Amino acid sequence: MSLLKYHQISQVKSEAINTSSLESLLKGFRIRSLLTRKGISRGNGIQVIQLIYTLFLMLFQNKRSISEALKHLDQTCKKTTINDFLNNPFFKWRPLLLSVAQQFSKKYKHDEGKYNVLIIDDTSKKKTGKFVEGLSYFYDHSIHSYYKGYQVVLAAWSNLRTCIPFDIVLKTGKKRCKHSKRCDYPIESHTHKRYLESRKSKTKISIAMIGRALRYRIQFDYLLWDSWYNCSEAYNFVFRKLLPKGIHLISMVKQGNELYKYGKQDLTVKELQVKAGTWTKDEKTGIKYKSIEVEIYDKTDKSSKTKSVTGKVKLCFFKFNTKGKRRVRVLLSTDTKLTELEILERYTQRWSIEVMIKDLKQHMGFNQSMSSKYAPQLNDMTIKCIFYIMICSLKERTPEKSIGQLIFEFGRQIEDYCIEMFVKYLMKRSFREFINEVKNKKYIQLEDLIPLYDDFIEDFFSRDYIDKIVEVDVNNNKKRIVA
């Protein structure tokens, strides 16, 4: 019996994945047809769906880079192809991500009597090295210091059970690093447009994200973001575009010198806190709260001497007892009919995007791309967001499990299926030789073989391996005959 070569094991594994649960997961989101419609084609003779399989399998390797993950999968031959695939500036990955998110939002809507929310937030992506495209300095308010890299602006949709990303921008800053390179992509390419977008302010980026969500009919009832996104331009967009559609904004408010109109007076947040009256205490949580309705000024036209009003909002003040200190937080809501605790309950859903960002960084290889170019980093993150949405579809079926547990179990399921297919492949390969061996031994009748079956099987499967044992050096791809 001839020996099974090492590369045939990898071949069996690749063939097994095509019919495993991964294939059914991709079919559920119609990935094949979406790839064709978005113009994402094959490269270097390898079908694009095969590259998607390989990129998905790299999630289960938990490696720091794409190169290490490919080496662990024994797929180093695909390294150049995958790099060219990710570096293609004409592939439209954003429409693909939006289409997958649209399918998820339609299939897994909120429960009866609940609501959907759209959340916008940003996170840091640290990057070092010389000649990195678009490398900039950003200030991280959580650690109160600057870092080198990018700022990732994320838009997420949540049904109060699961939070998924539907849009992403890899933002470059104004403070460019000394040795950073300028991105030079064809003007008509998709990556060039996204790079131009990355140089805009976070307000313009977030407004564009909301516009794309509306165009793709991703339904949501509330828009949630932090105080860093509050400005006259954002308020005008909310009152003119979102409120007519029944979509309201709930956000955190800074306690600064911003003036609001209360009656005929212009007051700051701290002055409005005094005007709001006495505190009301919730007996269950111990939270104290009060509110006041005010009007927001429109400051977009700085040349105008008269102050115009954008609209009416409700400012809610909450006092939390944390570590023995009374801390006051202020929330703004364009839905003035909600009570203070209902506004607080809706805003707490913003924390789900923080959990999503942590899952992307911890389990989905968010920082796995080590390329110095802008396009592969952006494309790799977009692909990881698509994979995250598919994993979240499994979470909707088993909500008691975490994303990390689902990824682990899904990886084990694929590995078990590959082992099963390998055993079948081995049996299929050996059965023909087994029949020829029976014929050579002149066992014409099966009754003649049955009494000696155990001894015959043991001799058949062990004889060739005893005579010749082949060692395979995986790192150097060399074979050595031992005996």
Side-chain angles (χ1 to χ4, degrees), residues 101-270:
Q102 179 193 38
Q103 294 180 53
F104 185 95
S105 63
K106 286 184 177 180
K107 190 173 183 180
Y108 303 105
K109 294 182 180 179
H110 59 77
D111 296 329
E112 192 67 28
K114 294 292 184 179
Y115 49 88
N116 299 324
V117 297
L118 187 146
I119 314 166
I120 295 179
D121 200 3
D122 55 81
T123 184
S124 61
K125 177 178 169 58
K126 296 180 180 179
K127 184 76 176 176
T128 57
K130 289 186 177 181
F131 310 115
V132 179
E133 292 182 347
L135 193 66
S136 310
Y137 286 105
F138 287 96
Y139 187 79
D140 192 340
H141 293 273
S142 61
I143 60 177
H144 303 288
S145 65
Y146 284 92
Y147 69 90
K148 281 184 181 180
Y150 305 96
Q151 194 174 47
V152 184
V153 183
L154 283 159
W157 177 89
S158 173
N159 57 5
L160 308 188
R161 300 186 304 270
T162 308
C163 183
I164 63 164
F166 72 85
D167 205 349
I168 184 172
V169 173
L170 190 61
K171 191 178 183 316
T172 57
K174 296 180 180 178
K175 297 181 180 180
R176 301 284 293 275
C177 295
K178 184 177 180 181
H179 297 286
S180 65
K181 288 181 64 178
R182 297 184 64 87
C183 296
D184 186 17
Y185 294 100
I187 298 176
E188 67 278 8
S189 66
H190 184 66
T191 303
H192 178 74
K193 296 176 182 178
R194 298 191 70 175
Y195 173 66
L196 293 179
E197 180 189 29
S198 72
R199 301 171 65 182
K200 297 179 180 179
S201 65
K202 288 196 293 185
T203 302
K204 293 184 182 296
I205 289 173
S206 59
I207 290 174
M209 284 178 165
I210 299 168
R212 283 189 288 269
L214 295 175
R215 286 198 299 272
Y216 276 79
R217 298 180 182 179
I218 298 177
Q219 298 180 357
F220 58 99
D221 304 293
Y222 292 96
L223 171 64
L224 310 177
W225 61 37
D226 205 352
S227 59
W228 302 105
Y229 295 89
N230 289 335
C231 64
S232 294
E233 185 180 0
Y235 289 143
N236 288 337
F237 176 80
V238 171
F239 278 92
R240 294 175 185 175
K241 299 294 184 181
L242 299 186
L243 287 187
K245 301 178 183 295
I247 302 171
H248 292 276
L249 168 68
I250 299 178
S251 69
M252 186 73 74
V253 176
K254 292 180 181 179
Q255 301 183 43
N257 298 322
E258 185 75 19
L259 294 177
Y260 298 87
K261 185 178 180 181
Y262 177 67
K264 295 183 180 181
Q265 296 177 306
D266 294 343
L267 303 175
T268 63
V269 173
K270 291 184 178 180

Side-chain angles (χ1 to χ4, degrees), residues 12 32-33 39 114 127 133 169 171 192 243 258 277 293 320 347 365 423 438 457 459 481:
V12 171
R32 287 178 182 268
S33 62
K114 294 292 184 179
K127 184 76 176 176
E133 292 182 347
V169 173
K171 191 178 183 316
H192 178 74
L243 287 187
E258 185 75 19
E293 292 186 11
F320 302 94
Y347 186 76
V423 171
V438 170
I457 287 292
D459 178 67
I481 298 177

Side-chain angles (χ1 to χ4, degrees), residues 335-361:
D335 191 352
T336 58
K337 296 179 181 180
L338 294 176
T339 64
E340 293 86 347
L341 293 178
E342 286 175 339
I343 292 173
L344 178 63
E345 182 243 339
R346 280 157 176 74
Y347 186 76
T348 52
Q349 298 300 326
R350 199 193 72 83
W351 183 253
S352 59
I353 196 173
E354 302 288 351
V355 178
M356 183 197 76
I357 291 172
K358 182 181 178 182
D359 287 336
L360 286 170
K361 291 184 177 181

Side-chain angles (χ1 to χ4, degrees), residues 22-33:
L22 176 56
E23 175 67 15
S24 62
L25 188 62
L26 294 174
K27 281 183 178 179
F29 287 94
R30 298 179 296 168
I31 297 297
R32 287 178 182 268
S33 62

